[in-house]
Amino acid sequence: MAEEASLELEDNVEPKSKKKLILFGAIGVVLVAIIAITVWVLLSPSAANDDAQVEGSTAEQAVVNTGEAFYAAMPRPFLFNLPDNGRTRLVEIKVQLMVRGVDDDTLIKKHIPLIEDALLTTFSAADIQKMSSPAGKDELRLLALRNVQNTLQPVTGRTVVEKVLFTGFVMQ
């Protein structure tokens, strides 16, 4: 009788292990299928995603360029001498640059020595008679803007400065 009980237990063990094997096999197949589908979905439209990302980054740059205005002040005023009919006149100009977005503001601060060089070169080549009139100051401001943009273009790869503003202008 003990032998019959042990035989019955042994008979019951075999079908359970086969059921477990089939169950684990089915779970494994399902997991492999899920992983394969996930990999296929993530990798197959990659070309379309790359194009969308390029278009998105271009649109993002346009948004940044039309974003909030930031004003970067030059750390020191520009102080230089200009000749005027036999005498030398001292000129001091305080400048701020208008940019769009935080990224451009950070970029301007990084390239301040380059910008100062472009502005000082522009200001020191100016005509004192033109600087005495409002139209001459506007012309000098536009010339300074063009020179700063032309100087930064090769370094940054884009136009960063939108306006050059004179916040102080003294001639003696």
Side-chain angles (χ1 to χ4, degrees):
M1 193 153 158
E3 290 177 17
E4 288 178 20
S6 67
L7 287 177
E8 286 179 19
L9 290 176
E10 289 176 12
D11 288 340
N12 289 340
V13 172
E14 288 180 23
K16 284 185 179 178
S17 65
K18 286 182 183 178
K19 288 180 183 177
K20 286 182 182 178
L21 184 63
I22 292 172
L23 181 65
F24 285 128
I27 291 173
V29 169
V30 170
L31 286 175
V32 168
I34 290 172
I35 291 171
I37 290 171
T38 304
V39 168
W40 179 73
V41 167
L42 291 176
L43 296 180
S44 68
S46 64
N49 282 344
D50 291 344
D51 292 340
Q53 287 175 353
V54 169
E55 289 173 9
S57 65
T58 305
E60 191 174 298
Q61 279 184 346
V63 169
V64 168
N65 289 340
T66 60
E68 184 179 358
F70 285 89
Y71 299 93
M74 293 292 103
R76 296 170 291 284
F78 294 92
L79 190 62
F80 53 95
N81 292 319
L82 289 177
D84 180 31
N85 295 331
R87 79 178 232 206
T88 302
R89 301 205 48 187
L90 183 67
V91 179
E92 180 184 79
I93 302 175
K94 293 180 183 177
V95 176
Q96 289 195 9
L97 305 174
M98 186 175 115
V99 296
R100 296 286 179 173
V102 178
D103 295 337
D104 288 350
D105 186 41
T106 306
L107 193 61
I108 288 297
K109 290 177 181 171
K110 180 180 175 183
H111 294 292
I112 281 183
L114 189 62
I115 295 167
E116 284 180 333
D117 177 62
L119 289 172
L120 190 58
T121 304
T122 303
F123 295 154
S124 62
D127 182 23
I128 196 74
Q129 299 303 323
K130 285 184 180 179
M131 290 174 64
S132 299
S133 69
K137 289 177 187 173
D138 288 339
E139 184 180 324
L140 181 63
R141 187 178 299 117
L142 291 174
L143 182 63
L145 174 63
R146 262 187 269 127
N147 286 345
V148 168
Q149 287 175 340
N150 291 341
T151 301
L152 288 176
Q153 181 71 30
V155 176
T156 62
R158 59 189 170 92
T159 303
V160 178
V161 179
E162 190 173 322
K163 283 186 179 181
V164 172
L165 305 166
F166 294 162
T167 56
F169 198 97
V170 178
M171 287 192 315
Q172 292 182 346

